[in-house]
Amino acid sequence: MRKLSSLAVLFVLAAVLCTGSAAFAFDKNHLMKFKATEECPNCDLSGAEFSNANLGRANLQGANLSGANLSGASLRWANLRGANLEKAKLARANLREADLQEANLRNANLQGAVMRNANLRKADLTGANIEGAPMNGAKFCNTKMPWGLDNTHC
């Protein structure tokens, strides 16, 4: 009886682990396309690994980057308009002058990310960690910030 209950626990644990890892499963063809062209609008790159990558000027408009690791990545001048970056890891990322208009950054880790002169109009940063993230010159209009709605540049 004890073996049966141990097997049941292992089965449940395996099912939970498999389900959790599938939650952020990027499309391998989309990743190949992006690596070759630095363009992948509306692609599924959820959970992909891009830490410390140079992605400046990349076109990821409307892409799904939820749960992706972009820690320390350079995304200067990147087009992330309408991208889903929910729960993405962007700590210490360079987002200077990036276009994040209408991007979903809910619960993203932006600790220490540089977002100077970024376009954050209509972006959603609800629950995001922005500790130590300079935003000098960033554009806010109908932007959902951790402190509430910001309409500084409407």
Side-chain angles (χ1 to χ4, degrees), residues 95 98-103 105 110 113-126 128 130 133-154:
L95 290 158
D99 187 354
L100 291 155
Q101 185 166 325
E102 298 179 354
L105 290 150
L110 290 154
V114 179
M115 300 195 306
R116 290 187 177 107
N117 300 312
N119 179 5
L120 291 165
R121 290 178 176 99
K122 297 183 182 177
D124 187 352
L125 286 87
T126 305
I130 58 169
M135 297 184 188
N136 314 46
K139 305 296 183 265
F140 303 102
C141 182
N142 295 318
T143 305
K144 293 179 184 174
M145 296 299 292
W147 59 79
L149 196 63
D150 194 324
N151 287 312
T152 305
H153 297 100
C154 285

Side-chain angles (χ1 to χ4, degrees), residues 40-44 59-65 79-84:
C40 207
N42 302 308
C43 283
D44 181 2
N59 181 5
L60 290 163
Q61 183 172 346
N64 181 3
L65 292 155
N79 180 357
L80 294 160
R81 185 178 284 238
N84 180 5

Side-chain angles (χ1 to χ4, degrees), residues 13-34:
L13 183 60
V16 168
L17 290 174
C18 288
T19 303
S21 64
F24 295 124
F26 58 86
D27 184 309
K28 290 179 183 174
N29 291 327
H30 290 177
L31 183 60
M32 276 193 323
K33 175 184 177 181
F34 178 66

